[in-house]
Structures are given as C-alpha cells and as structure tokens.
Amino acid sequence: ANDPTGQDITALSCACLFSLVVAWGDTGKILQAVSAILTNNGSHACQTIQGHVYNSTSRIRNRKEKRSWLGFAQDGFVVRIYTMSSDPALQQELQLKLARKCLHACGISLFDLEKDLHIISTGFDEEAALLGAGREFALMKTASGKIYYTGKYQSLGIKQGGPSAGKWVELPITKSPKIIQFSVGHDGSHALLVAEDGSVFFTGSASKGEDGESSRRFSNYKYSYATPGLWVLIEINVLFPLAAKSRRQPKPYKPKKMIKLETKIAVHTACNNGSSSIVTKDGELYMFGKDAIYSDSTCQVTDLKGHFVTQVAMGKAHTCVLTKNGEVWTFGVNNKGQCGRDTGAMSQAGKAFGVESMATAMDEDLEDELEDKEEKSMMCQPGMHKWKLDQCMVCTVCGDCTGYGASCVSSGRPDRVPGG
C-alpha cells in the first residue's frame, strides 16, 4: 500500500536474482543478470537494490575509494583505434574473443607422451565440443560439426599426410557432413561418427565385425542316434565371430558409411574394443561385433524390442541402456557388479540375457587375462605380441616394438636390438 509505483517489489526481486546467480557461482550468469537489470532497463538502474555483502575479493575491497567500472560482453567485443584529430578516422579494428575452452589431458597414451595433466594445443580457432581417445588416436568434434584427429594416422586408414606428433588435423569424410556425435571405445581401434542426416560412419579397424559387415557367421550341426523304439535328432546353431584370434592385422578404414544402417536414422552411438552400438531415432538398439550375440539376424538387440532406447554406453564387457521412460537396462559381464546387480544373474525385469552368450562374447578377453597370469615370466607368447604402453622397446620374445607392434615405423632398421 505504501509503494504505489511498485519499485520496492521490483528492487526486492532484483536483489533476489542477484543473490541467486551469485550463489550459483556461474560468472556468465552473474554478468548476464547485471546486464539485464542495470544496463538494458534504465528504470531498474535508478532503484535502491539492497543486499548484504557476505564476502568479496581483495581486489574489490581495495577499490572502494577509486573510480571503477564493470563491462559486460556476450561472446566478444571489438576494439576500434581512431586517429587523434579534429576529424577522427578509423585506423584499426580488432575483433576480440573474451574466452575459449581449454582442454586438458593426463595419463598414458601412444600418441601423447606427457603423462601429467597438461593443456592440449589444437592449433585451430574452432571451439571444441567433444573429445574421445582410443588406443592409437584421439578424435575431437568442433562446435561446427567438424572432426579433427591426432595420433597414428595409419590406424584411421590414412596412408600419408597425417599430423606430426601433438598436432591435430581435420579427418577427411566423404561429402564433409556435419557430425553431431561420435564415440571411441576404451583402448579401442575404431570410432563411430553420426552425421546430421542420421547416417553412421565407421573409421578404424574391424577385427570382429564391428563395422557391421560380415559381423557374424552361423554354422549348423546335426546329430542323430537311434535306440530300439526311439530316434533322436539334435540340431544346433553355433554363432562364430569372424576373424577371431587372427595374426593378420585388419585393414584400417577411412570414414565409410555403415551400409547395414542405411535405412535407419541414428541419434547416438557407443563403442568398446571390438563392438559397436547404435541407437536409432525410432528407439531401436543395434549391436555389431563381439557383443552382437545379444542381437537377432538384423543385429537389433532382441530383449529390448518394444522399449524406446535413447542412449547407450559400453564398458569393456558390459552395456548400459537408457530408455525414454527413464529405465536403465544393463547386460554383459557382472563379475565386479558393473551391471548393478548383487549376483552374476543376467536378467532384468524378467527379461533374461543368456549367461552362455555372455561367456562366449568374453572368451577372447578372458583368455588374454588368463594367459598373462600363467605366463608371467614371458612378455609375449611365441607369435602373440602383447602391448606394453609405458615405454617403446624391442620385445625380447617376438622382436616387435612394445608400443606399436609390427607396424612400428622403425621396424626395418638394422640396429634394433631385442630388449633395447
């Protein structure tokens, strides 16, 4: 009643908004609130906006008696330099961007030798939006939908002209589509790229059919026996992944369209070492490679038919799926509880995921771990090179580089000494 103009109410609401953005702690939102209330609306700037200052930086406290100013700009601003004369003329115009994202990396990789936390220098001005690393390469998606890569360019099917160590180069993709999402598996040798039109591109090596081409093979076995008054026929379909435990290195591919999903619109992908998962606009989940055991002949995950899938994530040997109604489904190996269950039972809401299928999918990975324990005295079994990521040396057993295997660029040098 004592505030016919409503200024007390608006002043209080302004103070509440300032308190909220300060508590939020986002500098951009603080400056936007200041700009919206004090700069864009002159009537608000004349009001007494009350509040209690609980804390401030020393730089602010020390400037109480000095003339100060606060400037706000959304993304950047322009500095114009004029000549000092009676008729000022523009000498120079400088476009400035206030801030840019800094990318940091740490850990051991084959393409970045610095282990401690350090800033990644991309060498280009576009803002990075997504970053992923595989075994021998890393990918980066920019805000405009371009893909850049660093690392061993041969592992992405590029024969020559790749980047030098620590440099990033744009990944060539046919017709240069805008990429909206990509995925690289942990310690993986391939990546999946989703274009704006919903098509999926595969790049890297496909040793287990993770590119969707000849991803699995069925063999049919029939057994029969007869006893007096009884005749029995047993028919078994056995699923074999192709190229299992082959010594021949698979050929790496430049980005190529996945023909198997040409009629589908993809929205999300995930990878692990040997498998690919794709979620379509219609909520279907398709899996290729070693984990295709959960799929039917079209490679769609059987037990999730009828559920609208929105996202998928893959670990080394298990998969997590999010559906439209907020359900989380998991399947795969649960030896450490990674599927969110107390036991190793492979079921969810009454839907069974076969334990036998799970065991088949992980045979190759578990074999490697068992061999490591049994052969502690050997770095490699004869003819089977094992990777040692810490430092490149010449393996004393197979003679290959411990970091790059037989594809090491120095493999032909005569002075390579085993153990050196």
Side-chain angles (χ1 to χ4, degrees):
N2 299 325
D3 182 26
T5 61
Q7 285 199 1
D8 288 349
I9 296 295
T10 54
L12 182 61
S13 66
C14 290
C16 290
L17 177 60
F18 285 144
S19 300
L20 176 63
V21 294
V22 168
W24 195 318
D26 188 321
T27 305
K29 287 184 170 58
I30 294 173
L31 294 179
Q32 285 176 349
V34 172
S35 175
I37 293 175
L38 301 183
T39 307
N40 297 343
N41 193 320
S43 62
H44 289 168
C46 300
Q47 297 176 12
T48 302
I49 299 176
Q50 297 178 348
H52 178 72
V53 179
Y54 287 91
N55 202 355
S56 62
T57 66
S58 58
R59 286 181 296 175
I60 296 294
R61 287 196 297 268
N62 295 338
R63 295 190 65 87
K64 285 182 178 179
E65 306 302 324
K66 301 177 182 178
R67 293 175 59 88
S68 303
W69 63 275
L70 176 67
F72 170 74
Q74 186 71 21
D75 294 310
F77 60 95
V78 180
V79 175
R80 294 186 176 93
I81 301 174
Y82 293 87
T83 58
M84 296 295 291
S85 63
S86 57
D87 187 16
L90 180 64
Q91 271 189 330
Q92 187 180 358
E93 185 172 288
L94 182 63
Q95 296 276 352
L96 294 179
K97 191 165 186 177
L98 293 179
R100 62 184 303 164
K101 288 183 180 178
C102 288
L103 302 171
H104 292 74
C106 61
I108 301 171
S109 74
L110 295 176
F111 49 84
D112 190 345
L113 300 179
E114 192 170 346
K115 300 178 185 179
D116 298 329
L117 186 67
H118 60 282
I119 294 179
I120 299 175
S121 177
T122 60
F124 54 83
D125 293 330
E126 289 195 69
E127 186 175 296
L130 185 63
L131 190 65
R135 177 184 295 167
E136 297 180 320
F137 63 87
L139 298 180
M140 181 187 300
K141 186 183 86 69
T142 66
S144 64
K146 294 179 181 179
I147 297 290
Y148 287 79
Y149 73 95
T150 188
K152 188 177 178 182
Y153 56 87
Q154 295 94 335
S155 62
L156 293 169
I158 300 170
K159 295 181 180 179
Q160 56 185 4
S164 55
K167 303 297 182 183
W168 292 80
V169 174
E170 186 175 353
L171 183 66
I173 307 175
T174 305
K175 297 184 178 178
S176 301
K178 181 180 179 180
I179 302 300
I180 59 173
Q181 191 261 345
F182 79 84
S183 58
V184 185
H186 165 66
D187 201 32
S189 56
H190 76 286
L192 299 177
L193 318 173
V194 181
E196 193 174 30
D197 62 359
S199 57
V200 182
F201 290 83
F202 175 96
T203 184
S205 303
S207 59
K208 299 178 178 67
E210 48 267 58
D211 60 346
E213 297 179 18
S214 305
S215 61
R216 52 214 221 137
R217 178 179 77 242
F218 283 96
S219 291
N220 182 269
Y221 296 89
K222 292 185 180 181
Y223 304 92
S224 63
Y225 63 93
T227 60
L230 178 66
W231 181 82
V232 179
L233 173 66
I234 302 174
E235 185 172 342
I236 303 174
N237 285 311
V238 182
L239 173 64
F240 292 95
L242 290 183
K245 288 283 184 181
S246 173
R247 292 187 184 180
R248 185 177 179 182
Q249 292 292 328
K251 175 188 175 184
Y253 293 100
K254 290 181 182 178
K256 62 172 185 175
K257 270 192 179 182
M258 293 186 70
I259 307 299
K260 195 92 172 181
L261 293 172
E262 257 191 334
T263 59
K264 303 292 181 179
I265 299 176
V267 294
H268 192 267
T269 64
C271 305
N272 65 20
N273 190 359
S275 300
S276 300
S277 296
I278 295 100
V279 177
T280 69
K281 187 179 180 181
D282 297 326
E284 302 164 326
L285 176 62
Y286 291 85
M287 298 185 80
F288 306 94
K290 69 177 183 182
D291 290 331
I293 53 168
Y294 300 108
S295 309
D296 59 17
S297 58
T298 67
C299 292
Q300 184 179 356
V301 175
T302 310
D303 287 344
L304 287 176
K305 289 182 178 180
H307 297 268
F308 197 101
V309 178
T310 57
Q311 290 187 45
V312 60
M314 303 188 76
K316 180 180 179 182
H318 77 292
T319 302
C320 295
V321 175
L322 178 66
T323 64
K324 190 176 182 179
N325 60 1
E327 290 181 338
V328 176
W329 290 65
T330 63
F331 51 96
V333 174
N334 190 42
N335 61 320
K336 297 182 180 178
Q338 57 265 54
C339 286
R341 304 184 184 89
D342 293 333
T343 66
M346 312 304 290
S347 63
Q348 169 73 20
K351 298 285 186 178
F353 292 90
V355 177
E356 296 81 9
S357 298
M358 173 273 292
T360 304
M362 286 309 299
D363 275 350
E364 294 177 21
D365 291 322
L366 294 178
E367 275 179 25
D368 290 339
E369 294 180 11
L370 291 174
E371 286 170 0
D372 286 341
K373 294 178 181 178
E374 292 171 358
E375 302 290 341
K376 287 183 179 178
S377 61
M378 298 179 65
M379 184 183 294
C380 301
Q381 286 191 348
M384 296 299 293
H385 178 73
K386 296 190 183 302
W387 299 94
K388 180 177 179 294
L389 302 180
D390 190 22
Q391 181 181 0
C392 286
M393 299 176 70
V394 182
C395 176
T396 57
V397 178
C398 67
D400 280 342
C401 169
T402 59
Y404 293 90
S407 57
C408 175
V409 293
S410 301
S411 58
R413 287 177 51 175
D415 56 342
R416 295 171 82 246
V417 181

